[in-house]
Amino acid sequence: MPQIAFPKLLSSQIAFDIARTILDGFDKHYRLFRATTQMAKQRFERGDWKAAQEDARERIAYYDKRAKECVQILEDEYDSDDLTDEVWREVKLHYMGLLIDHLRPELAETFFNTVCTKLLHRTYFHNDFIFVRPATATDYIERDDTPATYRVYYPAADGLSFSLKRIVTNFQLQTPFAHLDADLAKVEARLLEQFGDMRFEPNHQFQVLASLFFRNKAAYIIGKSINGNQEMPFVIPIIHNKNRELILDTVLFDNMHITVLFSFTRAYFMVDMDVPSAYVQFIRSILPRKPRSEIYTMLGLQKHGKNLFYRDFLHHLKYSSDMIEAAPGIRGLVMLVFALPSFPYVFKLIKDSFPPPKETTKALIKEKYQLVKNHDRVGRLADTLEYSDVAFPRARFSEDLLAEIRRYAPSILEVNDDEVIIKHLYIERRMTPLNIWLTESEQKGDDAAMEHAIVEYGNAIKELVGANIFPGDMLYKNFGVTRHKRVVFYDYDEIETIVDCNFRTIPLPRNEEDEMSAEPWYPIGKYDVFPEQFGTFLLGNAKVKQYFMKHHADLLTAKYWQDRKERIVKGKVDDVFPYPQSIRFGGG
C-alpha cells in the first residue's frame, strides 16, 4: 500500500474545517460520556441501582449519536463536489496535527474513522484516508495539569494497616462503612498470607488506580503490590449491606478471578478517566494476556475496542494461512456460523430467510442483539462485535462454504477475484457448545465434568433471570463453555425480557379427548411459557436428568419463574458476584 504523500503545504481551508468539526464532535462525545461516568459514584453511594442501569444503557448509545450528528453537519455544510481525494487526504493530516497534546488521541482517531467511513466508499478504507494504523502514540501522554492515573502507597514506611486504610478512604465515598477496620483486618490477613515469607525490598509499594470501577451494585479498587521485581495484582470489591452501609466484600489475588472480573460476558465498567490509555496500560500490567481491545471495551470504550480488534484480526490474517470453515456444532435455523481455526472467535451471519418454526425477521434479530449489547450481561451473555463490509481474502474460503453463504445469505455477500466481503456480521468469542461438552464428557466417563456443566447451565439461566432475561430457546446447543469452564448463552434470536413473558402451568385436561389430543386444548399467547415442558427437550439423557433434578429442578416449575418476575416488577435488583461465594468475607 502506498505511503501518504505529505504535501509541502496544507492549503485546504475546507479540509481543516472538516477536521476541526470531527474533533469537536469527538470532544463533545467524551465530555458527555465522562459526565455520565462521573455520576456512577453518586449512584453507588445512594444505592440507586435502577438509575445506574439506565445510565449504563444510555451511555452505550452516546457514541453513535455523536457520530451521526457529525456526519449530518458535514453533509449539510459541504458540497460533495468540493470534497476531492486531495481534500480528504488533507483532512486526515490536519486531524493528526490537531491531536498533538490531546489526552485521548487513540479514541479520537477511531471517531474520525467512524465518521469518514459513513461518508466515503469502502474503496477509501485505507491508510491514506482513515487511520487503518494508529498515527499518534499514547505512551506517557499524561500532562502536569492532569490528575495522576494511580496513587502510590509505601507500607514499609507508613505501616501496612495504615496504607490499606488510606487506599480505601482516599476515594472519599460519602456512604458510611459498617465496620471498615474489621474489613481491613481481613484484607490485611489475606495479603500477608499471599506475601508468605517474602522479603520486602526497598521499593515495596502499592499502586492503586485513582478512580473506582463501578458495575452492577459494586465498586472495585484496582491495584497491585510491587516488591523488587515481583508484582501482585489485587482487587477489593465494595458493596452495600442490608442496612445500606458499605462493606469490603473480599479481596481478589487470583489471576483467574481478576480475568473473569474483566470478562467479555459482563457489562462495561463505569470509570472516570482523564487518560484512558494510561488506565489500559495499568490493567495490562496486571493482566498481560488480556488484549488491549478487550480492556478498552470493558472500560465502556467499545468502539475503540472494535477498532483495535479489527487491527488484530487483519494482522492475524496476514500471518496465518489456515482456511475459514463452518464452525462446529448443530447448524442453526437463523445464523450461519464460520470460523478461522487459528483465531479464537466465530463469525455469525443472519440468514436471509428462516424456515418454520422460526417466526422472525432480520430486523427483529438485530434488535435482540442490540438488547444484549445494552443489557447487564451478568457474566452469562457473550458480548458481540457488530461489523459492516468486512473483507476476507478470497483464497481462505472453500467453494463449499461460499456456496452455503450464497444459498442462505446472498444479500450480504459480495465476491471478487481477491476478496469475500460480508456486508453485515457479528464476531463472538469462540466457546465449546454445551451439547458437545456434555457428549464428550459422557464418552470419557467424566461424570464430574457433566455435573459441573449442568450446575453451570442452571446457574447461568438463574442469573439471566435475575437480570430480567429469558433465553427463549434453552437447548444446550445455544450455550457455550468458556476456557474458565463457565457456561454462557450466545444465541439471541429468541431472547425476551422476563417481564414480557407470561409463565403458566399447563391446565388439567377437561376430558379424555383433551388428554389424548396431539394439539394443546388450551389457548396459548405469544409470550406464554410453560416451564414444566422444558424437561421434554432438556432431560432425555439419564445422567443429565439426574444432575439437573438434583440442582435445578425448580426451573421446571412455573412458580419459580413467576416469583422471579414479581421481584423484577417490584424493582428488586439482584446482587451479581463475579467471583466465588467461597472467598467472600461474609460480613454483610
Side-chain angles (χ1 to χ4, degrees):
M1 185 177 293
Q3 298 295 311
I4 294 178
F6 281 84
K8 293 181 180 179
L9 179 67
L10 295 179
S11 57
S12 172
Q13 183 63 43
I14 291 177
F16 178 82
D17 292 344
I18 291 173
R20 182 74 263 175
T21 298
I22 296 174
L23 186 56
D24 287 346
F26 168 74
D27 288 339
K28 178 182 178 181
H29 157 67
Y30 198 78
R31 185 168 62 252
L32 296 172
F33 174 94
R34 194 170 179 194
T36 300
T37 298
Q38 289 169 338
M39 283 296 298
K41 184 170 183 284
Q42 294 180 34
R43 305 291 194 207
F44 174 76
E45 289 168 338
R46 297 171 184 168
D48 193 351
W49 312 127
K50 283 293 184 183
Q53 288 179 336
E54 189 60 34
D55 287 347
R57 281 192 292 269
E58 290 181 356
R59 190 184 68 163
I60 291 171
Y62 284 179
Y63 186 96
D64 287 336
K65 288 180 180 177
R66 301 293 85 77
K68 288 177 182 177
E69 282 179 8
C70 198
V71 168
Q72 190 64 55
I73 290 170
L74 295 176
E75 288 179 335
D76 291 345
E77 289 289 327
Y78 301 101
D79 192 311
S80 59
D81 292 339
D82 295 329
L83 303 181
T84 64
D85 287 4
E86 188 57 36
V87 167
W88 279 114
R89 285 189 177 91
E90 287 199 23
V91 169
K92 180 182 176 182
L93 296 173
H94 279 300
Y95 198 79
M96 289 164 61
L98 292 171
L99 294 183
I100 294 173
D101 289 334
H102 201 284
L103 294 176
R104 297 165 280 275
E106 77 283 21
L107 308 183
E109 287 180 3
T110 291
F111 189 84
F112 180 93
N113 287 356
T114 300
V115 172
C116 288
T117 53
K118 293 181 184 299
L119 294 167
L120 298 170
H121 187 267
R122 66 175 305 276
T123 54
Y124 286 81
F125 296 179
H126 54 80
N127 211 51
D128 280 8
F129 299 98
I130 65 173
F131 294 95
V132 175
R133 297 188 297 275
T136 309
T138 57
D139 299 323
Y140 307 111
I141 63 174
E142 295 170 280
R143 300 193 303 249
D144 291 341
D145 61 343
T146 59
T149 297
Y150 59 87
R151 305 185 184 110
V152 182
Y153 304 85
Y154 299 97
D158 300 330
L160 181 56
S161 299
F162 181 73
S163 296
L164 290 174
K165 189 163 189 175
R166 282 187 61 217
I167 286 173
V168 175
T169 57
N170 277 350
F171 289 107
Q172 299 181 20
L173 290 166
Q174 298 304 300
T175 304
F177 281 84
H179 31 65
L180 181 58
D181 289 339
D183 288 348
L184 286 169
K186 295 173 185 175
V187 173
E188 182 176 352
R190 290 198 183 172
L191 195 59
L192 290 172
E193 184 180 342
Q194 289 292 316
F195 286 146
D197 57 0
M198 183 186 299
R199 177 179 177 273
F200 293 112
E201 303 291 341
N203 73 330
H204 186 219
Q205 61 190 269
F206 295 140
Q207 295 181 358
V208 178
L209 284 171
S211 291
L212 288 166
F213 283 49
F214 297 97
R215 188 175 63 195
N216 303 118
K217 296 165 69 176
Y220 298 89
I221 298 171
I222 312 291
K224 60 183 176 180
S225 166
I226 298 176
N227 185 51
N229 61 359
Q230 293 182 307
E231 295 191 8
M232 181 181 71
F234 62 84
V235 176
I236 303 175
I238 306 172
I239 64 172
H240 287 239
N241 67 9
K242 60 185 178 183
N243 298 320
R244 299 199 172 187
E245 301 165 309
L246 299 181
I247 59 173
L248 307 183
D249 195 45
T250 186
V251 56
L252 310 179
F253 301 107
D254 187 278
N255 182 268
M256 187 186 79
H257 293 160
I258 298 174
T259 299
V260 168
L261 179 69
F262 285 89
S263 166
F264 66 96
T265 62
R266 299 193 182 276
Y268 310 135
F269 286 104
M270 291 276 198
V271 191
D272 182 26
M273 301 171 288
D274 253 331
V275 184
S277 60
Y279 275 73
V280 171
Q281 185 62 31
F282 188 97
I283 295 170
R284 281 216 84 196
S285 73
I286 64 176
L287 295 173
R289 296 180 59 187
K290 180 73 70 173
R292 283 185 175 84
S293 59
E294 289 190 20
I295 299 173
Y296 272 103
T297 297
M298 290 311 300
L299 294 174
L301 304 167
Q302 65 272 20
K303 292 296 184 179
H304 188 60
K306 272 182 62 176
N307 192 19
L308 291 181
F309 177 89
Y310 193 65
R311 286 172 180 163
D312 290 343
F313 172 59
L314 293 177
H315 180 82
H316 184 87
L317 281 176
K318 180 178 176 67
Y319 290 98
S320 63
S321 58
D322 50 334
M323 296 290 287
I324 294 166
E325 59 187 33
I330 299 172
R331 294 287 199 273
L333 298 178
V334 168
M335 291 282 194
L336 286 175
V337 186
F338 60 85
L340 193 62
S342 61
F343 195 60
Y345 295 84
V346 296
F347 307 91
K348 303 175 72 169
L349 323 180
I350 305 176
K351 294 180 181 180
D352 283 359
S353 59
F354 320 109
K358 291 291 183 182
E359 296 181 1
T360 187
T361 64
K362 293 183 75 168
L364 187 57
I365 292 167
K366 290 179 181 180
E367 286 181 18
K368 304 288 189 184
Y369 274 77
Q370 190 60 38
L371 183 153
V372 171
K373 174 66 67 177
N374 294 336
H375 205 82
D376 176 8
R377 295 189 296 282
V378 296
R380 299 299 186 175
L381 294 168
D383 195 14
T384 55
L385 302 175
E386 185 177 8
Y387 288 91
S388 301
D389 294 322
V390 178
F392 297 86
R394 170 68 178 80
R396 307 291 279 276
F397 278 79
S398 69
E399 289 301 327
D400 287 345
L401 183 54
L402 278 179
E404 186 175 8
I405 298 174
R406 286 192 182 99
R407 178 182 177 188
Y408 292 110
S411 68
I412 59 172
L413 178 67
E414 182 181 322
V415 182
N416 58 42
D417 291 341
D418 300 317
E419 295 177 321
V420 172
I421 298 157
I422 306 296
K423 297 177 184 177
H424 181 264
L425 60 74
Y426 297 100
I427 301 179
E428 200 173 85
R429 180 66 67 88
R430 185 167 60 208
M431 293 171 270
T432 303
L434 179 57
N435 60 307
I436 293 178
W437 176 279
L438 291 171
T439 299
E440 291 179 348
S441 298
E442 185 172 36
Q443 290 171 348
K444 295 174 186 175
D446 192 344
D447 290 358
M450 286 189 73
E451 183 169 13
H452 170 81
I454 292 301
V455 170
E456 271 287 294
Y457 167 77
N459 288 344
I461 292 173
K462 289 175 177 178
E463 288 171 23
L464 289 174
V465 171
N468 193 22
I469 288 290
F470 176 59
D473 190 343
M474 289 167 45
L475 295 178
Y476 302 127
K477 70 181 180 67
N478 297 321
F479 291 76
V481 183
T482 73
R483 62 189 178 92
H484 296 298
K485 298 182 181 179
R486 288 176 56 79
V487 170
V488 171
F489 186 60
Y490 55 55
D491 193 332
Y492 305 145
D493 59 275
E494 292 190 20
I495 206 168
E496 299 289 351
T497 58
I498 292 290
V499 295
D500 285 337
C501 296
N502 181 28
F503 299 98
R504 297 175 54 192
T505 300
I506 297 176
L508 292 172
R510 296 163 299 184
N511 49 47
E512 187 175 345
E513 289 182 0
D514 283 353
E515 194 166 359
M516 301 300 294
S517 173
E519 298 296 327
W521 61 89
Y522 45 89
I524 300 176
K526 180 180 178 181
Y527 295 103
D528 285 352
V529 179
F530 299 89
E532 61 197 280
Q533 292 182 327
F534 294 164
T536 305
F537 307 101
L538 300 177
L539 306 181
N541 180 291
K543 283 190 175 178
V544 167
K545 182 175 182 179
Q546 174 191 339
Y547 299 137
F548 188 96
M549 297 305 293
K550 176 182 176 182
H551 298 285
H552 299 299
D554 49 351
L555 289 175
L556 303 183
T557 66
K559 185 178 185 309
Y560 170 84
W561 298 85
Q562 291 164 354
D563 289 348
R564 303 304 292 174
K565 177 178 176 178
E566 185 178 350
R567 275 180 56 84
I568 296 167
V569 171
K570 288 181 177 178
K572 301 289 181 70
V573 178
D574 284 356
D575 291 301
V576 178
F577 300 101
Y579 42 82
Q581 294 283 312
S582 59
I583 68 171
R584 297 181 63 206
F585 293 150

